[in-house]
Amino acid sequence: MSVSQAGQAGSFNEFFHRTNRRAYVFALHLSGNREDAMDILQEAYLRMHRRWSECEGEAKAVAWLYTIVRNLALDHLRRRARRAEAEIQESILSSSADGPERAAAREELSRRLWDAIRKLPAEQREILLLRDWHGLNYSEIAQVLGLSLGTVSSRIHHAREKIREAMEDYLR
Amino acid sequence: MTAERHEEIRRMLSAWLDGELTQVEEQRVRVHLEDCAECRRACEDMARLQEMTRSLRFAGPGEDRMKEIEKSLMVQAPRRLGWLFLVGGLAAWLVYAAVMAARHWRPPTVEELIAGAVVIGFVMLLVSVLMERVRQLRYDRYRRIQK
């Protein structure tokens, strides 16, 4: 289930369980640090919990959560000198369902892809991951990042073109 | 087909893959893809990369820390209710005490003065906490976020 679908009916507790893993990864991608990501996550859910009753239906809850996580991560980054890329690299996993050879190949491909994504300008990387990994639609992304739909569409397109160029050898 | 038209369609490919185009735009892209092998290939590559990105797996948060967060969330509801009862009860008690004092006025005893001092101190501490919360709320960057 995508995160977008997570914000359907249910209590805050259910919402927390459905969204926390993806929200954590989003916080980790932004902050680059596991401890910071956990702090951000805790603070984000606490803020949401305090005002959960004001949430008009849960459909917009995911975009709300991501907006809070993003703003908190930016606050953390302002306080820190730089992101810790190594911790994100370490957190990429291969699928345990594959055999050893296939798993190694998949892991290699994942690392190559992640390298290509990592080299994107920050604003393109963030938007690409929000769309393709977190599963947010364009209007949710526009809300989270405070951008117009046209800008969201254009950035996603440019990001994908760059990834395609970087992964050319693996696609043929 | 003009180069401009080709470029225009090319820019729409991502949005087409994401199902974010209008019906008319979708139709235009579909027609173009039938004739243009280059764009078809670009589209297939993007779809494949999208799938690969989707299947990237990242380590999740530690279970212990997640349980800790969950516990801290669980205490929020009773805490809010506690504040409501405390402030409401205190306000009702003060009003009642003021009415009773006005009706049956007499000089307070030493015990009543001591109890009054404790209550006044407690109320002042409570008010300072509430003022702090209100001050924080004024600078809360997230309060205007559309929910």
Side-chain angles (χ1 to χ4, degrees):
Chain A
M1 176 174 43
S2 76
V3 180
S4 292
Q5 290 168 293
Q8 301 303 311
S11 66
F12 183 83
N13 200 35
E14 286 169 16
F15 175 78
F16 171 77
H17 282 284
R18 270 183 259 163
T19 55
N20 69 50
R21 289 183 70 83
R22 285 186 178 263
Y24 166 79
V25 171
F26 184 52
L28 179 63
H29 286 157
L30 290 169
S31 67
N33 177 289
R34 284 196 206 110
E35 269 309 303
D36 282 354
M38 288 307 290
D39 290 343
I40 288 165
L41 207 63
Q42 179 162 22
E43 182 61 25
Y45 279 113
L46 275 172
R47 283 172 194 246
M48 283 196 84
H49 190 274
R50 273 186 216 130
R51 299 177 66 193
W52 185 247
S53 57
E54 294 171 36
C55 197
E56 291 165 8
E58 289 188 30
K60 288 185 176 173
V62 172
W64 182 26
L65 170 67
Y66 274 65
T67 307
I68 297 175
V69 167
R70 185 170 186 270
N71 287 339
L72 288 169
L74 293 179
D75 286 345
H76 270 255
L77 282 178
R78 274 184 213 113
R79 288 196 291 269
R80 283 185 182 273
R82 64 188 183 87
R83 299 163 78 247
E85 290 291 345
E87 292 199 2
I88 307 176
Q89 286 276 20
E90 283 167 20
S91 76
I92 297 178
L93 300 174
S94 58
S95 172
S96 54
D98 294 329
E101 274 181 32
R102 189 130 185 248
R106 278 180 76 94
E107 196 175 334
E108 170 66 12
L109 195 62
S110 292
R111 290 205 177 271
R112 290 278 173 178
L113 177 61
W114 180 246
D115 272 346
I117 292 172
R118 205 167 48 86
K119 283 176 187 155
L120 288 172
E123 70 273 10
Q124 288 181 10
R125 178 177 57 221
E126 183 179 33
I127 217 163
L128 183 80
L129 288 172
L130 281 174
R131 171 64 211 139
D132 288 349
W133 199 82
H134 295 277
L136 269 63
N137 63 35
Y138 284 17
S139 82
E140 286 168 331
I141 295 171
Q143 191 188 332
V144 171
L145 303 181
L147 298 171
S148 68
L149 282 175
T151 309
V152 169
S153 177
S154 157
R155 282 192 190 169
I156 289 176
H157 175 70
H158 286 120
R160 283 185 181 150
E161 285 285 9
K162 280 185 189 163
I163 296 289
R164 189 171 162 250
E165 270 173 39
M167 297 290 288
E168 189 85 54
D169 298 345
Y170 291 88
L171 289 167
R172 299 281 88 84
Chain B
M1 182 183 307
T2 63
E4 289 83 22
R5 177 79 191 275
H6 181 78
E7 262 314 299
E8 188 197 345
I9 298 287
R10 194 67 181 260
R11 278 197 299 271
M12 292 161 89
L13 282 184
S14 272
W16 184 73
L17 276 173
D18 294 329
E20 297 275 353
L21 292 181
T22 62
Q23 225 171 354
V24 176
E25 289 170 331
E26 251 185 50
Q27 183 64 20
R28 277 173 62 197
V29 173
R30 202 172 292 125
V31 168
H32 177 83
L33 287 179
E34 279 171 15
D35 296 334
C36 180
E38 193 189 332
C39 283
R40 240 184 355 255
R41 205 179 70 179
C43 195
E44 284 163 10
D45 286 352
M46 281 183 185
R48 219 176 130 200
L49 287 168
Q50 191 179 27
E51 193 49 50
M52 281 160 66
T53 306
R54 199 172 287 151
S55 60
L56 280 175
R57 296 175 71 245
F58 298 98
E63 284 302 313
D64 290 347
R65 189 72 201 278
M66 204 44 85
K67 283 202 174 99
E68 206 179 288
I69 293 179
E70 201 179 351
K71 274 181 198 160
S72 72
L73 291 171
M74 277 164 64
V75 300
Q76 292 302 307
R79 184 174 293 169
R80 187 182 296 174
L81 210 61
W83 273 101
L84 203 69
F85 272 104
L86 185 67
V87 173
L90 209 59
W93 188 86
L94 285 173
V95 169
Y96 175 76
V99 169
M100 293 308 283
R103 274 191 189 170
H104 315 284
W105 173 251
R106 60 173 171 74
T109 62
V110 176
E111 289 86 352
E112 283 168 344
L113 282 173
I114 293 169
V118 171
V119 170
I120 288 168
F122 186 67
V123 169
M124 284 174 78
L125 287 174
L126 196 68
V127 168
S128 75
V129 171
L130 288 175
M131 281 170 71
E132 180 69 18
R133 289 291 289 270
V134 170
R135 195 186 64 79
Q136 280 174 359
L137 197 66
R138 280 174 61 196
Y139 298 101
D140 186 353
R141 300 169 54 194
Y142 311 101
R143 73 192 171 109
R144 291 186 198 283
I145 291 170
Q146 193 189 356
K147 293 181 284 298

